[in-house]
C-alpha cells in the first residue's frame, strides 16, 4: 500500500489475525475500503472484519477521530444528554476487530484501477469499496444560505460542533426571542428529526425562556409522526410553536445571515436563532465516484451494490434504495446486508437473503417518547416495506415512559453494534 | 359430570347477570375441582378466595381481565412492568401461556416457577381460578375469555434444529437494539436463553400474544426455521 503519514491503528492486531486466516481465492487477503465511519460504515467495517475472522483486510477511512452521533443530538440540545455521551471513537474497531482506521478524507475514486485517493496523499487499492458518506447539502437550496453561513445560521444536521453551536445560540437568546427553523424538503436525513428538535428546543425554552417563540417554515404539507408531535406540542408547549406549511408560503423562504432575518413568503421575520436545514443530497464522494443519479446513489437492495458499479456498495442516507427512511437505524441494517454480500463475494462465505428494519424513536418531552418503525425486504426494483407500526395519540404516560426507556436501550445497542 | 361442572362454574361466575349461564355454547375451561388440587403447588406464593392478600406473589382474585402488573401495592418485576406498559391484560390465552412457562411470556418475571407443562393441569387450575374472577364470558358483546384457545406449538416446530450460521446472520438485526453482552437497560437481554423458551417467546410475539409492537413486527416475518435458527444462535452467542 502506498501510504504517507497515514496512521494505521491496530495493524498489529490485523497482522496477527492474518496468520490464522485461510487464504481465499488464490490471492493475498482481499481488501475492503469503507468510507465514512457512521451508522453504515462503522457497522459494515466491524461486521466484515468480525465475521471474516481476518480473511478480509478492512480499512475504514473517516476524517474525524471523535464521532458524534446525529441521532440523540437533539436530546443533547434538550438537556437530556451530555455531549460526551454521544461521542464515540474508533479504538475498539482497531484493537478488537483489526480494522485499519485511517483518519483522512477520500477525495477521489478511480473505479477502473479500483483505488481511492486520500486528501493527505497516497492511494488505497480495494477489491470492494463501501461508501457510507451520509449527506451533503444542495447548493442554493435556501436562497441566501450556503455553508459559509453555517456559523450564523447553523444546520446542526451533522453531529458535533454544529450541535454545540446551535445549543449555545439557543441559550444566548434574549428573553422572549424568536427561534426559526427552515425545515428541509423530502427526502432528507431522519424524517422525524426536525420535529423532535423543535420539541427539544421548546422543552429547553419553556424552562429557561418561556416567552420565547418558535417558528417553523416548512416546505412539506405533512411530516413524520405529525399527529404525535402536534398532540405533544399542544399538550406541553401550547402557544409556543407556529408551523408555516406550504399552504402559507412555508416553501418560499429566503434568509439573510448577516441581518439575521428570514423572509417567509414576503414576510420578514427577525430571528435570534435561525436553524437552516437545507435540502440534501448524497455525500459528495458519491458524486465524485460518478455513481449518483440525481441527488442520490441508486443501489440494488439485495446486496446494497451501486447500480452503476458492482464493486461499490453504498449505505445509508446517501442511497436511493426504495422505501426505507434515511436514518441511522436503516444504515446499520443495510450495513449488515452489505457486509454479508461483500464477504460472500470475496471469501465465498454463505450469502443470506436481505432483511431490513428500521425504528425511529423521538422524544417530545421528558419521558414522553414515541416511535415508528417498519420491516423491509429487497426486490429487484427496490427495497419495499413489509410491515410497520407507529405509536398512537393518547397513549398513557407509562407507555410513553417505557418507549423512552426503550430508546435509551436502543442507543446503547446500536452504538455497541457500530463501534464494538 | 361435565355438564355439572359447567353449571357450577357458571353459577360461581355470573350470578348477577340473569340468564347468562343459559349459553349452551360455552365450553368449560377444565375441571375446577381438580384445578383446586393443582393449585396446591401455587399456594406457597399466591392466595385466592375470600380475604386473599398479596404474599410472595400477587393475590389472584379477579385475575381474569386484570391489567398485567395491575395491583396497587405489589412490587412487580421490571419485566412485568414492561408487559404492563405494553398494555398486556390477563386473558385466558395469556394466563395459559404464562402458566406453561412464565419466563417465556414475561422475560425477567420474578415468578420462579418452571411452568405447568401438562395442558390439562393448566386447564384445570385456570378453571379453578376462573371461579374467583368476574365473568365477561357469557355477557353479550364481552370478549369470550373463557374460550380456550390453543397456544401450544406443534412438536415439529419445537423440534426444528436451528441453522446456527443463518441465526447469526439474522441476529445482526436483533443486535441493533438488544446488546450482545446481555445488558438489559431499557431493552431486555436475549442471550443465553434455553432454545425452547426463545422459540416459544418468538412465536408468542408472532401470534401477537405478547404485546410489544416492535417485536410483533420483527417476529411476524420470521419463518419457523428462522426462529429456530435464532434460538440456536442466541443459546450461546459468544
Amino acid at each position: 500500500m502506498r501510504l504517507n503519514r497515514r496512521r494505521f491503528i491496530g495493524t498489529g492486531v490485523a497482522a496477527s489475525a492474518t496468520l490464522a486466516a485461510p487464504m481465499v481465492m488464490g490471492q493475498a487477503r482481499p481488501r475492503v475500503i469503507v468510507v465514512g465511519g457512521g451508522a453504515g460504515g462503522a457497522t459494515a467495517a466491524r461486521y466484515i472484519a468480525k465475521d471474516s475472522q481476518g480473511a478480509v483486510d478492512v480499512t475504514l477511512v473517516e476524517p474525524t477521530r471523535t464521532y458524534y452521533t446525529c441521532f440523540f443530538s437533539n436530546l443533547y440540545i434538550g438537556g437530556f444528554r451530555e455531549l460526551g455521551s454521544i461521542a464515540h471513537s474508533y479504538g475498539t474497531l482497531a484493537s478488537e476487530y483489526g480494522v485499519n482506521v485511517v483518519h483522512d478524507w477520500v477525495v477521489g475514486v478511480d473505479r477502473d484501477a479500483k483505488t481511492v485517493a486520500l486528501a493527505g496523499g497516497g492511494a488505497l487499492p480495494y477489491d470492494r469499496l463501501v461508501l457510507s458518506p451520509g449527506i451533503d447539502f444542495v447548493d442554493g437550496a435556501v436562497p441566501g444560505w450556503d455553508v459559509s453561513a453555517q456559523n450564523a445560521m447553523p444546520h446542526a444536521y451533522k453531529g458535533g460542533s454544529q450541535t454545540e453551536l446551535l445549543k449555545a445560540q439557543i441559550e444566548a437568546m434574549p428573553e422572549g426571542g424568536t427561534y426559526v427553523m427552515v425545515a428541509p424538503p423530502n427526502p432528507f436525513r431522519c424524517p422525524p428529526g426536525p420535529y423532535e428538535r423543535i420539541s427539544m428546543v421548546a422543552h429547553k425554552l419553556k424552562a429557561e425562556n418561556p416567552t420565547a417563540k418558535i417558528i417553523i417554515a416548512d416546505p412539506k404539507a405533512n411530516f413524520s409522526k405529525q399527529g404525535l408531535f402536534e398532540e405533544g406540542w399542544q399538550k406541553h408547549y401550547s402557544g409556543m410553536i407556529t408551523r408555516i406549511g406550504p399552504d402559507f408560503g412555508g416553501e418560499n423562504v429566503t434568509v439573510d445571515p448577516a441581518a439575521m432575518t428570514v423572509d417567509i413568503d414576503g414576510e420578514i421575520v427577525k430571528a435570534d436563532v435561525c436553524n437552516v436545514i437545507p435540502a440534501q443530497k448524497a455525500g459528495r464522494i458519491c458524486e465524485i465516484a460518478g455513481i449518483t443519479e440525481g441527488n442520490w446513489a441508486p443501489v440494488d437492495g439485495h446486496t446494497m451494490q451501486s447500480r452503476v458499479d458492482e464493486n461499490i456498495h453504498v449505505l445509508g442516507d446517501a442511497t436511493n434504495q426504495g422505501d426505507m427512511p434515511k436514518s441511522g437505524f436503516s444504515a446499520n441494517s443495510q450495513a449488515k446486508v452489505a457486509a454479508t454480500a461483500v464477504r460472500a463475494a470475496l471469501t465465498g462465505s454463505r450469502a443470506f437473503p436481505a432483511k431490513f428494519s428500521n425504528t425511529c424513536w423521538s422524544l417530545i418531552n421528558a419521558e414522553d417518547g414515541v416511535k415508528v418503525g417498519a420491516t423491509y425486504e429487497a426486490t429487484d426494483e427496490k427495497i419495499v416495506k413489509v410491515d410497520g407500526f407507529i405509536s398512537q395519540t393518547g397513549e398513557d404516560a407509562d407507555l410513553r415512559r417505557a418507549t423512552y426507556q426503550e430508546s435509551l436501550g436502543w442507543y446503547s445497542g446500536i452504538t455497541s453494534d457500530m463501534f464494538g | 359430570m361435565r355438564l355439572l361442572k359447567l353449571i357450577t362454574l357458571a353459577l360461581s361466575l355470573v350470578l348477577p347477570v340473569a340468564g347468562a349461564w343459559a349459553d349452551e355454547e360455552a365450553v368449560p375451561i377444565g375441571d375446577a375441582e381438580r384445578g383446586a388440587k393443582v393449585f396446591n403447588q401455587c399456594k406457597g406464593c399466591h392466595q385466592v378466595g375470600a380475604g386473599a392478600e398479596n404474599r410472595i406473589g400477587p393475590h389472584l382474585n379477579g385475575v381474569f381481565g386484570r391489567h398485567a402488573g395491575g395491583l396497587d401495592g405489589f412490587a412487580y418485576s421490571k419485566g412485568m412492568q414492561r408487559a404492563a406498559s405494553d398494555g398486556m391484560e390477563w386473558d385466558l390465552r395469556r394466563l395459559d401461556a404464562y402458566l406453561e412457562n412464565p419466563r417465556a411470556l414475561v422475560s425477567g418475571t420474578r415468578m420462579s416457577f418452571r411452568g405447568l407443562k401438562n395442558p390439562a393441569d393448566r386447564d384445570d387450575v385456570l378453571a379453578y381460578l376462573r371461579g374467583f374472577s368476574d365473568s365477561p364470558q357469557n355477557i353479550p358483546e364481552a370478549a369470550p375469555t373463557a374460550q380456550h384457545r390453543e397456544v401450544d406449538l406443534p412438536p415439529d416446530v419445537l423440534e426444528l434444529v436451528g441453522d446456527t450460521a443463518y441465526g447469526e446472520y439474522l441476529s445482526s438485526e436483533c443486535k441493533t437494539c438488544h446488546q450482545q453482552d446481555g445488558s438489559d437497560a431499557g431493552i431486555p437481554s436475549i442471550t443465553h436463553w434455553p432454545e425452547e423458551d426463545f422459540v416459544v417467546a418468538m412465536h408468542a410475539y408472532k401470534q401477537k400474544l405478547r404485546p410489544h409492537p416492535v417485536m410483533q413486527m420483527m417476529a411476524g416475518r420470521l419463518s419457523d426455521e428462522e426462529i429456530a435458527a435464532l434460538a440456536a444462535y442466541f443459546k450461546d452467542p459468544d
Side-chain angles (χ1 to χ4, degrees):
Chain A
M1 281 195 253
R2 289 160 288 155
L3 284 171
N4 304 318
R5 299 181 295 110
R6 296 285 68 79
R7 295 172 183 83
F8 274 72
I9 305 168
T11 41
V13 176
S16 62
T18 314
L19 296 175
M23 284 299 176
V24 204
M25 301 180 82
Q27 63 161 56
R29 292 199 301 160
R31 291 158 301 202
V32 172
I33 294 178
V34 180
V35 178
T43 306
R46 178 169 168 266
Y47 271 77
I48 295 169
K50 169 173 78 73
D51 294 339
S52 70
Q53 299 178 329
V56 177
D57 182 79
V58 182
T59 299
L60 174 65
V61 187
E62 158 62 42
T64 66
R65 290 170 181 282
T66 302
Y67 180 87
Y68 294 91
T69 58
C70 213
F71 44 94
F72 271 36
S73 64
N74 286 330
L75 274 61
Y76 160 72
I77 291 172
F80 295 95
R81 297 290 284 214
E82 295 297 322
L83 194 64
S85 79
I86 60 168
H88 303 271
S89 65
Y90 298 93
T92 308
L93 285 184
S95 64
E96 296 289 317
Y97 299 94
V99 174
N100 310 304
V101 180
V102 177
H103 293 300
D104 204 341
W105 288 91
V106 172
V107 292
V109 177
D110 184 334
R111 284 167 32 203
D112 296 325
K114 295 207 280 183
T115 58
V116 300
L118 300 175
L124 299 172
Y126 65 82
D127 295 295
R128 286 290 168 113
L129 176 62
V130 178
L131 296 180
S132 189
I135 52 155
D136 270 305
F137 299 117
V138 174
D139 292 336
V142 177
W145 192 94
D146 62 37
V147 286
S148 70
Q150 70 177 14
N151 287 339
M153 293 188 169
H155 53 79
Y157 231 59
K158 298 177 183 179
S161 58
Q162 276 278 301
T163 324
E164 275 185 288
L165 176 64
L166 182 65
K167 185 175 185 179
Q169 290 183 353
I170 294 165
E171 286 168 352
M173 276 172 68
E175 192 181 329
T178 302
Y179 172 102
V180 180
M181 172 186 281
V182 180
N186 290 322
F188 62 99
R189 160 179 284 183
C190 189
Y195 310 97
E196 181 187 58
R197 174 169 298 168
I198 290 297
S199 307
M200 292 295 93
V201 171
H203 172 80
K204 186 172 176 60
L205 290 175
K206 189 178 175 186
E208 298 169 7
N209 190 349
T211 55
K213 297 288 178 206
I214 295 173
I215 296 170
I216 314 163
D218 200 334
K220 303 178 296 299
N222 303 105
F223 60 89
S224 174
K225 301 179 186 162
Q226 184 165 1
L228 296 165
F229 281 116
E230 288 179 346
E231 177 194 53
W233 294 347
Q234 183 64 35
K235 180 176 170 191
H236 304 298
Y237 317 117
S238 181
M240 190 179 241
I241 301 166
T242 305
R243 178 173 166 269
I244 301 167
D247 43 349
F248 289 96
E251 87 291 10
N252 184 19
V253 173
T254 307
V255 297
D256 183 342
M260 282 304 286
T261 56
V262 185
D263 178 337
I264 305 173
D265 204 30
E267 189 176 333
I268 307 293
V269 178
K270 179 83 181 81
D272 296 293
V273 176
C274 186
N275 177 198
V276 177
I277 308 173
Q280 295 161 24
K281 61 179 182 181
R284 199 169 298 110
I285 194 62
C286 291
E287 214 173 308
I288 292 169
I291 58 162
T292 50
E293 283 173 14
N295 285 335
W296 310 101
V299 293
D300 175 351
H302 293 292
T303 57
M304 300 307 292
Q305 276 165 299
S306 162
R307 299 253 187 216
V308 179
D309 185 335
E310 64 177 13
N311 294 315
I312 301 179
H313 299 249
V314 194
L315 305 175
D317 296 349
T319 60
N320 173 8
Q321 33 69 24
D323 293 351
M324 296 182 78
K326 298 184 186 300
S327 72
F329 198 125
S330 291
N332 170 269
S333 175
Q334 293 162 10
K336 294 161 187 174
V337 169
T340 301
V342 165
R343 284 196 304 118
L346 296 181
T347 71
S349 65
R350 279 173 74 186
F352 297 108
K355 283 177 186 279
F356 304 97
S357 55
N358 176 64
T359 300
C360 289
W361 286 266
S362 300
L363 188 61
I364 297 176
N365 190 27
E367 303 208 314
D368 189 356
V370 292
K371 62 188 171 186
V372 61
T375 52
Y376 305 86
E377 63 190 19
T379 67
D380 291 342
E381 190 198 344
K382 63 171 192 167
I383 295 176
V384 295
K385 180 174 167 178
V386 178
D387 190 14
F389 68 88
I390 184 165
S391 295
Q392 302 298 305
T393 53
E395 287 171 343
D396 65 30
D398 285 349
L399 179 52
R400 291 295 177 88
R401 186 178 306 114
T403 301
Y404 173 58
Q405 292 298 331
E406 191 176 271
S407 76
L408 302 180
W410 163 77
Y411 187 88
S412 302
I414 191 172
T415 51
S416 301
D417 204 36
M418 290 162 63
F419 301 106
Chain B
M1 181 64 193
R2 202 77 178 155
L3 181 64
L4 182 65
K5 269 183 304 192
L6 171 60
I7 291 169
T8 310
L9 181 65
L11 278 173
S12 66
L13 298 176
V14 293
L15 272 176
V17 182
W21 62 86
D23 179 359
E24 290 173 14
E25 296 302 307
V27 178
I29 303 167
D31 180 341
E33 269 174 56
R34 190 175 163 276
K37 296 193 181 78
V38 178
F39 188 73
N40 283 332
Q41 55 186 302
C42 315
K43 280 181 173 171
C45 300
H46 292 282
Q47 295 189 348
V48 71
E53 290 178 359
N54 295 333
R55 293 180 56 191
I56 295 169
H59 78 73
L60 298 174
N61 290 345
V63 69
F64 281 78
R66 182 194 289 172
H67 201 278
L71 286 183
D72 289 339
F74 185 79
Y76 289 98
S77 64
K78 243 169 52 176
M80 190 62 78
Q81 288 172 28
R82 189 179 288 122
S85 61
D86 287 338
M88 191 167 88
E89 211 170 80
W90 289 118
D91 59 17
L92 181 68
R93 197 160 154 241
R94 292 201 174 88
L95 284 166
D96 184 73
Y98 194 61
L99 279 185
E100 184 183 1
N101 187 343
R103 278 183 305 146
L105 185 69
V106 181
S107 314
T109 179
R110 276 200 287 272
M111 181 154 141
S112 56
F113 176 64
R114 57 184 301 280
L116 287 172
K117 300 305 173 197
N118 179 348
D121 286 350
R122 298 199 300 276
D123 290 349
D124 293 347
V125 81
L126 286 169
Y128 171 71
L129 290 174
R130 196 74 173 74
F132 302 98
S133 288
D134 293 335
S135 173
Q137 143 56 70
N138 294 327
I139 298 171
E141 295 177 81
T145 53
Q147 294 292 334
H148 195 160
R149 272 179 274 168
E150 197 58 62
V151 294
D152 290 340
L153 296 170
D156 57 323
V157 172
L158 287 171
E159 285 160 15
L160 280 173
V161 176
D163 173 346
T164 310
Y166 188 33
E168 181 171 8
Y169 166 71
L170 292 170
S171 78
S172 68
E173 192 158 47
C174 314
K175 290 175 191 164
T176 303
C177 299
H178 298 275
Q179 293 194 53
Q180 173 89 24
D181 67 7
S183 310
D184 68 345
I187 289 180
S189 168
I190 56 170
T191 55
H192 302 291
W193 281 40
E195 274 180 277
E196 187 173 318
D197 288 7
F198 195 100
V199 168
V200 169
M202 290 300 281
H203 280 280
Y205 283 120
K206 190 172 175 174
Q207 295 175 21
K208 302 196 188 300
L209 186 66
R210 282 186 170 213
H212 195 273
V214 180
M215 286 307 304
Q216 288 179 354
M217 178 183 79
M218 300 305 291
R221 69 161 169 179
L222 295 172
S223 66
D224 295 347
E225 288 75 16
E226 287 170 336
I227 288 174
L230 280 166
Y233 169 73
F234 275 116
K235 179 182 57 174
D236 185 17
D238 307 320

